[in-house]
Amino acid sequence: MNTRLPEHIRARVDAVLDSVDAELRLRYPGQGPRMQPVHTVYVPADRATADTPVEWGATALELLDRHAGFLAGLDTTDSLPAVRVGLSARPVQDLRIDFEDGYGFRADDVEDAAATAAGKTLALMAEKPGAPGSFGIRIKGLAKDERRRALRTLELVLDGVADVLPGFLFTVPKIRAAEQVSAIVDICSGIERAHGLPDHTLRFELQIESPQAIIAPDGTAPIARMLAMSDNRCSALHFGTYDYTAACGIAATDQALDHPAADHAKTVMQVAAAQTGVWICDGSTQIVPGSDPEFAFTNHYRLVERALRRGYYQGWDMHPGHLVTRWLATHNFFRTATDVAVPRLQAYLGRGQEGVVDEPATAEALSTTVVRALRCGAVSDDELLARAPELTEQTLVDLMTRRWSSRESTEARETR
């Protein structure tokens, strides 16, 4: 299309904006096809076995059955039957064997043995039915007194999981500066060369649990720099509830996922990671089903639902009882959200003018919600097909990626 702009000005504008477009596409590719797990289970290295996911699922089912009457009061969408099926088939989607706070400091020969065993454990775990889709370890931090131990543990574990690396991730705790991420990238490339692994095989997660990771000494927000320096190896940002709130001076009685200090940190993480394809993972709660299981269930359900409403679709689970309320809250949330999303998407596709008139950005969010509901099992393919046959997988993907408008334009031209 012609304009009345002088050609030399148009060429200058194109050169500047084409460069900007290329940079934005590189840094902000969008969510992509990866499926974000609903949770990450943390298990201390001295307690993890290849049967841990099955054992956690069995314990969660026992708790569900024992407290079914109470849990029915939390079930707003008749999701308990589906949760029971999920806990029987694949209770854990993502798992980390923990060599940091959950394991502590041991003699080098003891951690060497635990790391070697962890590699074999993960390899065996990956072969079992209903295995986690992703797995890995949390190493110790990169401070001088922990660094060599952390790297040795990582390499010993990798010796045992070389054949199942596509699902392997390692979590780096206590990140405080962007330069640490550059060092992690060097570590990854060095290990790949030393072990004969293909380039970019290793991916990692950054655990944000220090105020300095949110606001740097110069007043900037360093997480965006961290992601830019990650060489596209960073999979997710995990929030460390207790280290972060403690560092902010929050009293132990008030350290929690829903403290305003925690909310601020997670909001900064969310904005920094938006459209990069890097996931945000909420932290943990230390309250587990024990002497007062009903309080523990109610508290965890509330926290999971709260996180979901704020766009944090993954969180840590530290006890088998957390699986019950994690899955129940997730199913309830996405079933309810789908009930809202489907009619609005149908109206959008039909260019309906009643009720809410949605824009492409909202259609993108609505379709993403439906896809998340399908992937976590809250809604089945058959349910969606019966309710909205026009919402095919391809249509949902087109709406998620905003290709629907261009697809409509192409179809309209072909019709003409």
Side-chain angles (χ1 to χ4, degrees):
M1 292 184 292
N2 294 323
T3 71
R4 281 175 284 180
L5 277 175
E7 184 61 33
H8 71 283
I9 293 179
R10 187 167 58 184
R12 189 189 314 159
V13 168
D14 285 342
V16 171
L17 296 185
D18 286 350
S19 176
V20 170
D21 287 346
E23 179 72 10
L24 290 173
R25 282 195 299 270
L26 178 66
R27 292 189 180 275
Y28 304 102
Q31 183 59 51
R34 293 190 305 146
M35 184 180 74
Q36 184 174 11
V38 303
H39 66 173
T40 299
V41 162
Y42 271 78
V43 184
D46 55 346
R47 300 181 200 170
T49 72
D51 293 320
T52 291
V54 174
E55 292 168 353
W56 273 51
T59 301
L61 282 171
E62 191 275 327
L63 286 167
L64 186 154
D65 290 339
R66 193 193 318 166
H67 301 284
F70 174 78
L71 291 167
L74 300 176
D75 186 6
T76 60
T77 60
D78 193 27
S79 294
L80 276 173
V83 169
R84 164 172 269 286
V85 171
L87 290 174
S88 301
R90 190 182 181 186
V92 176
Q93 284 199 334
D94 185 41
L95 182 141
R96 297 290 172 277
I97 295 180
D98 188 16
F99 285 91
E100 206 229 356
D101 286 348
Y103 181 72
F105 291 92
R106 317 278 178 110
D108 281 339
D109 61 334
V110 174
E111 184 160 338
D112 281 353
T116 300
K120 296 175 181 177
T121 292
L122 291 173
L124 290 171
M125 185 186 297
E127 296 174 355
K128 290 182 174 289
S134 51
F135 49 84
I137 64 170
R138 178 169 68 167
I139 61 175
K140 289 180 169 61
L142 298 179
K144 187 173 183 179
D145 57 343
E146 300 179 22
R147 190 182 308 144
R148 287 185 178 274
R149 179 64 265 176
L151 299 184
R152 179 167 174 79
T153 294
L154 175 60
E155 289 204 75
L156 287 172
V157 171
L158 286 171
D159 286 341
V161 297
D163 293 335
V164 289
L165 274 172
F168 182 84
L169 294 163
F170 68 98
T171 307
V172 186
K174 296 180 174 57
I175 292 295
R176 301 179 71 187
E179 291 72 18
Q180 290 174 304
V181 178
S182 179
I184 298 168
V185 170
D186 286 342
I187 290 166
C188 288
S189 59
I191 289 176
E192 287 166 353
R193 287 195 296 270
H195 289 251
L197 299 172
D199 184 45
H200 275 71
T201 296
L202 291 179
R203 293 176 62 81
F204 55 81
E205 301 160 328
L206 303 177
Q207 190 171 339
I208 305 301
E209 49 187 337
S210 299
Q212 295 78 22
I214 300 299
I215 300 180
D218 62 359
T220 60
I223 293 179
R225 281 190 64 218
M226 293 178 184
L227 297 180
M229 297 170 72
S230 71
D231 193 30
N232 293 319
R233 293 177 183 268
C234 183
S235 176
L237 301 174
H238 286 226
F239 182 63
T241 311
Y242 299 101
D243 281 70
Y244 187 87
T245 51
C248 288
I250 310 303
T253 52
D254 292 308
Q255 291 178 349
L257 286 172
D258 55 354
H259 191 281
D263 281 341
H264 171 258
K266 287 180 284 188
T267 299
V268 173
M269 293 163 59
Q270 186 178 46
V271 173
Q275 298 183 308
T276 64
V278 175
W279 297 327
I280 302 299
C281 180
D282 204 3
S284 63
T285 176
Q286 84 280 33
I287 300 172
V288 302
S291 59
D292 191 351
E294 293 186 0
F295 172 75
F297 283 137
T298 302
N299 179 68
H300 189 244
Y301 182 96
R302 175 185 65 83
L303 290 172
V304 174
E305 182 182 49
R306 183 179 188 274
L308 290 168
R309 292 180 66 85
R310 283 158 174 76
Y312 314 134
Y313 299 111
Q314 181 181 357
W316 291 7
D317 287 332
M318 311 295 284
H319 183 276
H322 287 158
L323 300 186
V324 178
T325 35
R326 170 73 59 188
W327 284 108
L328 183 58
T330 299
H331 277 228
N332 281 345
F333 174 83
F334 279 111
R335 287 190 70 84
T336 300
T338 300
D339 286 343
V340 174
V342 167
R344 287 174 64 176
L345 285 171
Q346 289 175 310
Y348 180 82
L349 295 176
R351 290 294 184 258
Q353 297 297 315
E354 297 183 5
V356 180
V357 180
D358 288 315
E359 296 184 353
T362 307
E364 175 188 350
L366 292 168
S367 57
T368 301
T369 294
V370 175
V371 170
R372 287 186 182 275
L374 290 167
R375 289 179 174 177
C376 77
V379 175
S380 71
D381 292 329
D382 289 342
E383 283 181 284
L384 182 62
L385 179 63
R387 184 173 179 180
E390 66 271 45
L391 293 179
T392 64
E393 180 179 354
Q394 186 59 57
T395 295
L396 289 170
V397 170
D398 286 344
L399 290 167
M400 284 174 59
T401 54
R402 299 208 195 186
R403 288 201 296 261
W404 176 258
S405 297
S406 60
R407 174 175 148 185
E408 272 194 316
S409 299
T410 301
E411 290 173 353
R413 287 196 299 271
E414 290 175 350
T415 300
R416 289 197 299 268

PDB file of all heavy atoms in Angstrom, residues 160 186 196 236 245 250 253 283 305 354 392:
ATOM      1  N   GLY A 160      23.814 -40.040  35.972  1.00  0.00           N
ATOM      2  CA  GLY A 160      22.812 -41.100  36.042  1.00  0.00           C
ATOM      3  C   GLY A 160      21.580 -40.866  35.205  1.00  0.00           C
ATOM      4  O   GLY A 160      20.762 -41.773  35.040  1.00  0.00           O
ATOM      5  N   ASP A 186      27.361 -20.357  31.563  1.00  0.00           N
ATOM      6  CA  ASP A 186      28.706 -20.901  31.324  1.00  0.00           C
ATOM      7  C   ASP A 186      28.837 -22.315  31.895  1.00  0.00           C
ATOM      8  O   ASP A 186      29.459 -23.186  31.280  1.00  0.00           O
ATOM      9  CB  ASP A 186      29.762 -19.994  31.956  1.00  0.00           C
ATOM     10  CG  ASP A 186      29.970 -18.702  31.180  1.00  0.00           C
ATOM     11  OD1 ASP A 186      29.575 -18.660  30.001  1.00  0.00           O
ATOM     12  OD2 ASP A 186      30.519 -17.747  31.763  1.00  0.00           O
ATOM     13  N   GLY A 196      29.745 -34.395  26.470  1.00  0.00           N
ATOM     14  CA  GLY A 196      29.375 -34.748  25.099  1.00  0.00           C
ATOM     15  C   GLY A 196      27.896 -34.597  24.821  1.00  0.00           C
ATOM     16  O   GLY A 196      27.332 -35.345  24.016  1.00  0.00           O
ATOM     17  N   ALA A 236      11.798 -21.415  34.165  1.00  0.00           N
ATOM     18  CA  ALA A 236      10.812 -20.866  35.097  1.00  0.00           C
ATOM     19  C   ALA A 236      11.492 -20.055  36.186  1.00  0.00           C
ATOM     20  O   ALA A 236      12.692 -20.200  36.447  1.00  0.00           O
ATOM     21  CB  ALA A 236       9.988 -21.996  35.734  1.00  0.00           C
ATOM     22  N   THR A 245      10.502 -13.540  52.603  1.00  0.00           N
ATOM     23  CA  THR A 245       9.820 -12.745  53.626  1.00  0.00           C
ATOM     24  C   THR A 245      10.719 -12.532  54.844  1.00  0.00           C
ATOM     25  O   THR A 245      10.681 -11.470  55.466  1.00  0.00           O
ATOM     26  CB  THR A 245       8.491 -13.393  54.030  1.00  0.00           C
ATOM     27  OG1 THR A 245       8.695 -14.779  54.362  1.00  0.00           O
ATOM     28  CG2 THR A 245       7.473 -13.309  52.897  1.00  0.00           C
ATOM     29  N   ILE A 250       9.978  -9.766  57.773  1.00  0.00           N
ATOM     30  CA  ILE A 250       8.628 -10.164  58.184  1.00  0.00           C
ATOM     31  C   ILE A 250       8.732 -11.150  59.342  1.00  0.00           C
ATOM     32  O   ILE A 250       9.510 -12.109  59.285  1.00  0.00           O
ATOM     33  CB  ILE A 250       7.855 -10.808  57.019  1.00  0.00           C
ATOM     34  CG1 ILE A 250       7.942  -9.925  55.759  1.00  0.00           C
ATOM     35  CG2 ILE A 250       6.420 -11.090  57.406  1.00  0.00           C
ATOM     36  CD1 ILE A 250       7.442  -8.527  55.933  1.00  0.00           C
ATOM     37  N   THR A 253       5.572 -15.320  62.329  1.00  0.00           N
ATOM     38  CA  THR A 253       4.119 -15.571  62.414  1.00  0.00           C
ATOM     39  C   THR A 253       3.358 -15.057  61.201  1.00  0.00           C
ATOM     40  O   THR A 253       2.217 -15.467  60.970  1.00  0.00           O
ATOM     41  CB  THR A 253       3.557 -14.911  63.680  1.00  0.00           C
ATOM     42  OG1 THR A 253       3.967 -13.524  63.697  1.00  0.00           O
ATOM     43  CG2 THR A 253       4.055 -15.606  64.938  1.00  0.00           C
ATOM     44  N   GLY A 283       5.378 -20.206  45.578  1.00  0.00           N
ATOM     45  CA  GLY A 283       6.142 -20.936  46.585  1.00  0.00           C
ATOM     46  C   GLY A 283       5.308 -21.936  47.355  1.00  0.00           C
ATOM     47  O   GLY A 283       4.311 -22.460  46.863  1.00  0.00           O
ATOM     48  N   GLU A 305      -6.152 -21.408  45.113  1.00  0.00           N
ATOM     49  CA  GLU A 305      -7.167 -20.666  44.358  1.00  0.00           C
ATOM     50  C   GLU A 305      -6.760 -19.202  44.187  1.00  0.00           C
ATOM     51  O   GLU A 305      -6.905 -18.614  43.105  1.00  0.00           O
ATOM     52  CB  GLU A 305      -8.512 -20.755  45.068  1.00  0.00           C
ATOM     53  CG  GLU A 305      -9.645 -20.055  44.323  1.00  0.00           C
ATOM     54  CD  GLU A 305     -10.948 -20.119  45.091  1.00  0.00           C
ATOM     55  OE1 GLU A 305     -10.947 -19.798  46.301  1.00  0.00           O
ATOM     56  OE2 GLU A 305     -11.976 -20.473  44.473  1.00  0.00           O
ATOM     57  N   GLU A 354     -24.148  -9.386  21.921  1.00  0.00           N
ATOM     58  CA  GLU A 354     -24.847  -9.357  23.191  1.00  0.00           C
ATOM     59  C   GLU A 354     -23.879  -9.619  24.332  1.00  0.00           C
ATOM     60  O   GLU A 354     -22.897 -10.338  24.185  1.00  0.00           O
ATOM     61  CB  GLU A 354     -25.963 -10.408  23.202  1.00  0.00           C
ATOM     62  CG  GLU A 354     -27.038 -10.147  22.156  1.00  0.00           C
ATOM     63  CD  GLU A 354     -28.161 -11.167  22.232  1.00  0.00           C
ATOM     64  OE1 GLU A 354     -28.119 -12.001  23.154  1.00  0.00           O
ATOM     65  OE2 GLU A 354     -29.055 -11.128  21.381  1.00  0.00           O
ATOM     66  N   THR A 392     -12.238 -26.223  18.117  1.00  0.00           N
ATOM     67  CA  THR A 392     -11.275 -27.275  17.849  1.00  0.00           C
ATOM     68  C   THR A 392      -9.906 -26.882  18.409  1.00  0.00           C
ATOM     69  O   THR A 392      -9.660 -25.715  18.750  1.00  0.00           O
ATOM     70  CB  THR A 392     -11.139 -27.511  16.346  1.00  0.00           C
ATOM     71  OG1 THR A 392     -10.612 -26.319  15.739  1.00  0.00           O
ATOM     72  CG2 THR A 392     -12.494 -27.844  15.724  1.00  0.00           C
TER      73      THR A 392
END
